[in-house]
Amino acid sequence: DSGVTQTPKHLITATGQRVTLRCSPRSGDLSVYWYQQSLDQGLQFLIQYYNGEERAKGNILERFSAQQFPDLHSELNLSSLELGDSALYFCASSALAGLPTDTQYFGPGTRLTVL
Amino acid sequence: AQTVTQSQPEMSVQEAETVTLSCTYDTSENNYYLFWYKQPPSRQMILVIRQEAYKQQNATENRFSVNFQKAAKSFSLKISDSQLGDTAMYFCAFIIIQGAQKLVFGQGTRLTINP
């Protein structure tokens, strides 16, 4: 158990819908990262937040957005869902400094299925 | 471009054997960290081992060790005395110290340990 929690575990929805994935980092970690794991694209970095502020952005679609709240939990919002958005979405967190040198610990993931 | 290549999509060995997973990467940066993550059937991403690029000494964690060849941009993982619980997908990844704090992953190697 990494200490990172993600809810829900599974999510099944229809095209065009909007969903919210939630992540709670390890106790004391200020940085949260979101990754998408799909069959065709592999594991890809989406976005990072550090202490409430967006720190880095990767291959995140405009239909996707994220935020980190004062209690440090983070939410990833996916809207206008398409079949290709079906994937495993991971949240990871890293230690206080939020530096690239900090090891990222991953949550169990949320499996999103878009029908 | 920053990429990671794992040339072995699948590998299979007998329990107690030693197995080596290959990884090469491409970056123009000089300062970075390298990782091996394991993803068992549970889909959880688990950190196996980490190597700082500035260190010449290869990292070791119990039965897991790496062979880091910086000039060749090679970072292989050796698993000694393999166990059934080592069955998983293994991902090689790196992170640049200066820049976006994202892990860049390879496509993974599916390792099966047979009894």
Side-chain angles (χ1 to χ4, degrees), chain A residues 35-46 59 86-88 90, chain B residues 39 43 89 91 105-108:
Chain A
Y35 291 86
Q36 179 194 58
Q37 185 179 27
S38 61
L39 281 174
D40 54 344
Q41 297 290 326
L43 265 158
Q44 290 203 87
F45 168 77
L46 295 178
N59 301 322
S86 294
L88 191 55
F90 283 107
Chain B
Q39 187 177 40
R43 309 296 284 178
M89 281 287 286
F91 292 94
F105 286 91
Q107 289 296 103

Side-chain angles (χ1 to χ4, degrees), chain B:
Chain B
Q2 297 170 354
T3 59
V4 177
T5 302
Q6 294 180 247
S7 59
Q8 306 148 313
E10 292 190 29
M11 294 188 73
S12 178
V13 299
Q14 295 299 121
E15 195 176 4
E17 289 183 348
T18 294
V19 59
T20 299
L21 309 183
S22 301
C23 171
T24 57
Y25 57 93
D26 187 25
T27 178
S28 57
E29 300 291 330
N30 197 45
N31 296 313
Y32 47 87
Y33 282 58
L34 293 152
F35 303 85
W36 278 96
Y37 279 89
K38 164 184 174 180
Q39 187 177 40
S42 67
R43 309 296 284 178
Q44 175 89 47
M45 291 289 287
I46 301 165
L47 176 67
V48 174
I49 199 164
R50 155 186 159 140
Q51 172 82 41
E52 293 84 351
Y54 64 85
K55 286 188 178 177
Q56 290 187 335
Q57 186 172 6
N58 289 321
T60 299
E61 285 289 342
N62 301 314
R63 297 182 295 108
F64 299 87
S65 61
V66 298
N67 183 1
F68 174 46
Q69 303 289 330
K70 190 172 184 179
K73 293 182 181 175
S74 170
F75 183 60
S76 62
L77 174 71
K78 186 171 87 170
I79 306 174
S80 303
D81 185 26
S82 58
Q83 301 174 0
L84 297 179
D86 296 332
T87 293
M89 281 287 286
Y90 286 81
F91 292 94
C92 177
F94 74 90
I95 192 167
I96 305 300
I97 292 176
Q98 298 292 336
Q101 295 167 23
K102 64 173 184 177
L103 281 163
V104 178
F105 286 91
Q107 289 296 103
T109 294
R110 183 176 301 280
L111 175 65
T112 302
I113 310 299
N114 298 306

